[in-house]
Amino acid sequence: MTKTIATLQTHPLVAQLEAVQVDHPFSELGYVETAQGPVIRAWYPHAVSVWVLSLEGQHSQQMQCVDYRGLFELSSAQDFVDGYQLRVEYSQDTWQGIDPYAFKQNVYQGLEQLDKSPKSWYQVLGAQLMSFSLADHPISGVRFVVYAPNASSVSVIGDFNFWDGRRHPMERCLDGHWILFVPDLKAGIRYKYELKDRFGAQLAHKADPVGFYAEQYPSFASVVWDHNHYQWHDQNWQDREVDSLHQPMSIYEVHIGSWKRKHNSFGWASLSYRELADELISYVKKMGYTHIELMPIAEYPFDGSWGYQPVGLFAPTSRYGTPDDFKYFIDCAHQAGIAVIIDWVVAHFPADSHGLARFDGTPLYEYEDPRRGWHKDWNSYIYDFGRETVRRFLISSALIWFDYYHVDGIRVDAVASMLYWDYSREEGEWIPNINGGNENYEAISLLKWLNEEVYREFPKAITVAEESTAFAGVSRPTYTGGLGFGFKWNMGWMHDSLEYMAQDPLFRKYHHDEITFSMVYNYDENFVLPLSHDEVVHGKGSLLGKMPGDEWQQVANLRAYTAFMYAHPGKKLNFMGNEIAQVSEWNHDGSIDWDILQYERHHGQYLLTQRLNHLYREQPALYEADYEHQGFHWIDYGDWERSIIAFERLSLDGSDRLLCVCNFTPSTYENYRIGVPEAGTYQVILNTDDQQYWGSGYLSLSCFESQNKPWHNRAHSISLSLPPLACLYLKVVEV
């Protein structure tokens, strides 16, 4: 090994390279035109010698050390104008490969698309496995592109350069992006970005905002991933006909980390994506659900946030496996005939130093004024929904889940907090819009654009809004002035019905409107009826715990309420544990209390939920016309004295009919008459008081003959025996 370092030999460029203050390394490194002619310049701190080799390795020349800190030059660069590689010799190691700064023109490929399509952001930005031609030789590696317009310098650091920001400074593009192609890198390499703000102060090392995979604490490093590696097997699913408004949708909401746990040598651990593909999907299929909704799956740093404080909107969390493992989970769900919805959180983001907060030393992603950019309830930043780059970044993050991961839908969290400047703020803590109002026009515009892009790119997709106010047109098309969502959570139904069920049955008659009012506004939106995780945390107790009465009455109330929900217009969502009448409040650090299924009252709720799901899918009257007036008729909503309601559900063409009668008191009623739409024999197809569900078994008859006796403005009627705290479904079997 020839030692070429001259003591105290210096070069004016090195001070900038050493301090990582170079923003245009393409002008200084690699093949460079100088006043003395072309040179090849290489920067390798701590190197003993550097050689330039032809691409075939047959011709080589040693470079001169022009600065003892690691700057080398070769003056006879014209011999390697068509391409070259380097051999770098250290005191105890040697590296040989293609110089990243040999690629200066063709690496910009695709950047022009960033202003044309949000979809291009995840296709162009981040760490992309690519191949570029050098003297007709295809060279594979990773191109890094990151947006940081206010940084004075950016370097990519990682396993490949000892996490040394001096080694790979990136080139600043005119539009604020920084770019560098590093040859020979492969999937699995860890990396981050080292940025300096506009004043030259170094910031915390940042994870890639468009990273596809990330490590957990303490490194939070981004990881290069190959999205072309996974082979999908869900083509039949992708080719199916989809009409979400008129098809059954029974959603099982799941927190992956606490659905079920396994015991290993380190204690109790969550199941992996692949383990869930076996256990969760088979369970959901057996239970009859049509959809799984996953609480936020995008990468997040803190377990206690349940994923609602994400830092990596383009990466499934690595807590449970790799991106390919997550794809396998989705693939298996589709092969089992189950759709997957994910929670997508863009209302805010956490202040973790490795994330988006003051990414380039400025509020690049967040509103600068804390009266708009800081959410005090969640101690998190709020995206600047009016900034074009942020808007494209967010919409791109939604599209990638449909494109690369084949999810079927996204549920947008905390939409109300996005729509209003004064959400959870006191007077003086917010800034009105240009018209003096509280609507955030920028967020409204973003949500409209989001839905237009999703449905344009993926027509079979669904979008769902968790929106808790009376904002008009959430699930109406944008061309009519709506936000464009496919569905909206019916928070009013959830709140009112749970308030009603929490009342002692003796006093429910004074709250009768709480169980009937939802039909007044039912057709304003395409509603999903949610009994979500929000109702079983933060001291609210379990769903079972909200029900009044003794042990038997509690589960009877829950059974009746569950059946009422399935008969009420709107798609259904149930959080895990509700289906077995979980006793304890949900704990994200634990698991569902599966062992309680050994007890009859919990097994009864399990069987009832399973029966309801299958019945729901079998009866078009229960799902086809959720959003059309002809799909629902009140039979009697006015019997407040006895807390009884009766209504009829119909399919779109009216050929399939189902009657629902609910008795929300522990009293039994003999000869209770209700009007029916036609003469015939009415069969009970569901009775929540059945003994198999741990009911009393009060109802001894399964069929009731109609009588030619007008009742409830109908020409025919039947006389029922109503069980206590029960819901009945009836269908005509003979006319």
Side-chain angles (χ1 to χ4, degrees):
M1 182 180 294
T2 304
K3 196 166 185 175
T4 64
I5 297 180
T7 305
L8 299 181
Q9 190 172 1
T10 62
H11 190 284
L13 173 63
V14 173
Q16 292 178 291
L17 290 169
E18 184 75 17
V20 196
Q21 292 178 336
V22 177
D23 60 354
H24 291 289
F26 287 2
S27 300
E28 305 291 350
L29 301 176
Y31 192 93
V32 181
E33 294 287 348
T34 71
Q36 292 74 37
V39 302
I40 294 176
R41 189 179 291 147
W43 165 242
Y44 284 91
H46 308 301
V48 175
S49 64
V50 180
W51 297 72
V52 179
L53 291 76
S54 63
L55 291 176
E56 296 82 7
Q58 297 175 345
H59 175 57
S60 64
Q61 291 190 42
Q62 186 174 4
M63 303 182 78
Q64 178 187 1
C65 179
V66 297
D67 191 291
Y68 72 96
R69 289 165 291 185
L71 189 66
F72 297 82
E73 282 188 1
L74 179 69
S75 57
S76 54
Q78 61 273 10
D79 295 340
F80 300 94
V81 68
D82 291 329
Y84 64 92
Q85 56 179 316
L86 299 175
R87 185 172 74 245
V88 183
E89 298 175 342
Y90 298 94
S91 59
Q92 295 182 336
D93 193 15
T94 298
W95 172 86
Q96 181 170 319
I98 305 296
D99 181 11
Y101 300 98
F103 301 87
K104 297 187 178 183
Q105 301 301 324
N106 48 358
V107 293
Y108 295 100
Q109 172 187 321
L111 261 66
E112 72 282 355
Q113 296 297 318
L114 294 176
D115 291 332
K116 299 177 182 178
S117 166
K119 194 174 180 180
S120 67
W121 278 56
Y122 60 79
Q123 297 170 336
V124 173
L125 299 182
Q128 303 283 345
L129 290 162
M130 302 184 73
S131 179
F132 291 105
S133 180
L134 190 64
D136 296 326
H137 288 71
I139 308 297
S140 297
V142 176
R143 186 183 70 178
F144 299 92
V145 183
V146 63
Y147 183 66
N150 302 301
S152 59
S153 68
V154 179
S155 296
V156 59
I157 56 176
D159 295 326
F160 51 91
N161 63 13
F162 310 105
W163 300 89
D164 186 345
R166 299 173 299 169
R167 302 295 181 107
H168 287 96
M170 302 176 74
E171 178 78 5
R172 180 198 289 274
C173 305
L174 292 177
D175 60 356
H177 289 90
W178 299 74
I179 191 167
L180 185 67
F181 175 69
V182 182
D184 300 324
L185 296 189
K186 302 183 186 305
I189 290 291
R190 302 182 306 155
Y191 70 99
K192 277 186 174 180
Y193 295 113
E194 182 177 293
L195 299 89
K196 292 192 173 181
D197 67 15
R198 64 179 65 179
F199 305 108
Q202 183 170 311
L203 305 172
H205 290 167
K206 296 288 189 177
D208 194 339
V210 191
F212 302 130
Y213 188 37
E215 286 191 328
Q216 295 298 309
Y217 176 87
S219 76
F220 295 126
S222 299
V223 181
V224 177
W225 194 258
D226 182 2
H227 272 298
N228 295 316
H229 181 263
Y230 186 81
Q231 299 296 314
W232 287 91
H233 302 89
D234 68 343
Q235 192 59 51
N236 288 339
W237 176 264
Q238 300 297 337
D239 293 340
R240 79 200 189 286
E241 293 294 326
V242 177
D243 180 7
S244 298
L245 293 179
H246 303 110
Q247 290 175 340
M249 185 183 296
S250 179
I251 306 167
Y252 188 56
E253 187 191 22
V254 175
H255 176 257
I256 282 183
S258 59
W259 178 72
K260 184 182 288 187
R261 297 211 164 193
K262 62 184 178 184
H263 194 269
N264 57 29
S265 56
F266 299 101
W268 290 96
S270 303
L271 301 183
S272 69
Y273 291 128
R274 289 185 177 265
E275 290 169 328
L276 288 161
D278 294 332
E279 297 196 37
L280 175 59
I281 290 171
S282 62
Y283 176 79
V284 168
K285 187 174 180 65
K286 177 182 178 182
M287 288 298 292
Y289 293 102
T290 62
H291 293 63
I292 298 172
E293 180 174 319
L294 300 177
M295 289 169 65
I297 205 68
E299 192 57 82
Y300 56 99
F302 176 50
D303 285 348
S305 78
W306 316 329
Y308 289 101
Q309 295 271 16
V311 294
L313 292 181
F314 296 79
T317 178
S318 60
R319 285 168 174 79
Y320 315 116
T322 69
D324 280 2
D325 294 334
F326 181 65
K327 292 175 184 178
Y328 177 79
F329 172 82
I330 302 290
D331 207 350
C332 289
H334 289 171
Q335 292 176 60
I338 298 166
V340 180
I341 301 169
I342 62 168
D343 279 9
W344 185 65
V345 185
V346 293
H348 57 108
F349 64 92
D352 295 73
S353 60
H354 71 282
L356 300 179
R358 298 193 68 85
F359 186 79
D360 61 0
T362 69
L364 183 63
Y365 288 90
E366 64 269 31
Y367 288 110
E368 183 170 10
D369 193 314
R371 291 173 294 176
R372 289 190 169 180
W374 181 254
H375 201 299
K376 63 178 183 178
D377 287 357
W378 300 321
N379 288 322
S380 55
Y381 287 106
I382 300 172
Y383 288 101
D384 185 341
F385 300 120
R387 186 174 295 175
E388 186 65 17
T389 51
V390 174
R391 291 160 66 87
R392 291 180 178 271
F393 169 81
L394 294 178
I395 291 176
S396 176
S397 76
L399 297 177
I400 192 174
W401 296 99
F402 294 101
D403 190 0
Y404 285 5
Y405 297 102
H406 291 201
V407 303
D408 301 282
I410 56 173
R411 173 261 196 188
V412 185
D413 181 65
V415 170
S417 74
M418 301 171 67
L419 295 176
Y420 301 103
W421 289 120
D422 62 345
Y423 181 88
S424 194
R425 295 177 187 270
E426 302 296 331
E427 186 175 351
E429 296 179 342
W430 59 283
I431 304 173
N433 60 36
I434 57 174
N435 296 319
N438 65 345
E439 298 91 349
N440 184 341
Y441 296 147
E442 297 166 353
I444 291 170
S445 171
L446 172 72
L447 292 170
K448 290 181 177 182
W449 188 21
L450 161 73
N451 285 303
E452 289 169 352
E453 284 290 327
V454 167
Y455 285 113
R456 182 177 64 83
E457 293 283 352
F458 306 98
K460 297 178 182 179
I462 61 172
T463 60
V464 185
E466 187 223 5
E467 203 285 311
S468 56
T469 73
F471 191 93
V474 171
S475 58
R476 293 294 176 258
T478 57
Y479 60 78
T480 67
L483 293 183
F485 284 95
F487 299 91
K488 172 183 173 176
W489 273 20
N490 193 338
M491 310 295 279
W493 171 88
M494 177 274 298
H495 180 270
D496 289 347
S497 61
L498 284 178
E499 281 286 316
Y500 176 82
M501 295 304 300
Q503 301 295 327
D504 186 303
L506 183 64
F507 303 111
R508 280 178 178 164
K509 61 184 177 181
Y510 304 116
H511 301 268
H512 196 69
D513 60 325
E514 292 179 345
I515 203 69
T516 61
F517 181 67
S518 57
M519 289 310 301
V520 172
Y521 59 87
N522 181 73
Y523 304 105
D524 292 349
E525 302 278 1
N526 301 329
F527 283 121
V528 173
L529 309 181
L531 294 175
S532 73
H533 69 277
D534 281 328
E535 307 317 309
V536 293
V537 290
H538 300 317
K540 296 177 184 177
S542 66
L543 208 59
L544 178 66
K546 300 179 193 302
M547 303 297 153
D550 58 23
E551 181 180 86
W552 186 89
Q553 289 184 352
Q554 277 192 308
V555 290
N557 272 301
L558 181 58
R559 290 194 304 267
Y561 180 56
T562 306
F564 164 70
M565 173 193 185
Y566 274 79
H568 191 287
K571 308 309 180 186
K572 326 299 176 190
L573 180 141
N574 262 294
F575 183 57
M576 63 183 198
N578 291 349
E579 79 277 15
I580 63 170
Q582 175 105 351
V583 177
S584 59
E585 185 176 86
W586 171 53
N587 173 16
H588 74 274
D589 287 326
S591 170
I592 293 177
D593 297 329
W594 295 107
D595 58 323
I596 64 176
L597 278 173
Q598 64 184 297
Y599 303 110
E600 288 183 305
R601 63 172 182 156
H602 299 285
H603 194 254
Q605 177 69 16
Y606 166 85
L607 291 176
L608 174 66
T609 305
Q610 185 180 52
R611 173 60 179 152
L612 280 168
N613 274 325
H614 287 283
L615 193 64
Y616 171 66
R617 299 172 70 163
E618 295 163 4
Q619 304 293 326
L622 289 176
Y623 62 79
E624 272 193 358
D626 280 324
Y627 311 113
E628 285 82 12
H629 286 273
Q630 69 266 29
F632 176 92
H633 295 152
W634 278 116
I635 295 174
D636 186 6
Y637 61 84
D639 194 355
W640 60 271
E641 185 69 38
R642 288 179 286 190
S643 299
I644 295 173
I645 59 172
F647 55 87
E648 181 184 15
R649 293 298 310 277
L650 297 88
S651 60
L652 274 172
D653 62 7
S655 62
D656 187 54
R657 294 169 175 262
L658 183 145
L659 304 183
C660 176
V661 185
C662 298
N663 173 17
F664 290 116
T665 71
S667 301
T668 59
Y669 295 97
E670 287 292 339
N671 302 315
Y672 188 85
R673 187 166 296 277
I674 65 168
V676 294
E678 57 187 334
T681 301
Y682 284 79
Q683 181 179 8
V684 176
I685 61 172
L686 180 83
N687 173 14
T688 64
D689 188 53
D690 195 294
Q691 287 182 325
Q692 66 175 318
Y693 308 132
W694 208 55
S696 70
Y698 172 79
L699 185 63
S700 58
L701 299 176
S702 60
C703 292
F704 297 89
E705 295 290 339
S706 69
Q707 299 171 342
N708 191 19
K709 184 174 183 178
W711 208 263
H712 293 137
N713 296 317
R714 287 163 173 80
H716 309 280
S717 59
I718 57 176
S719 179
L720 294 171
S721 297
L722 288 186
L725 295 171
C727 183
L728 304 180
Y729 291 180
L730 300 99
K731 287 198 72 170
V732 65
V733 292
E734 290 183 20
V735 179

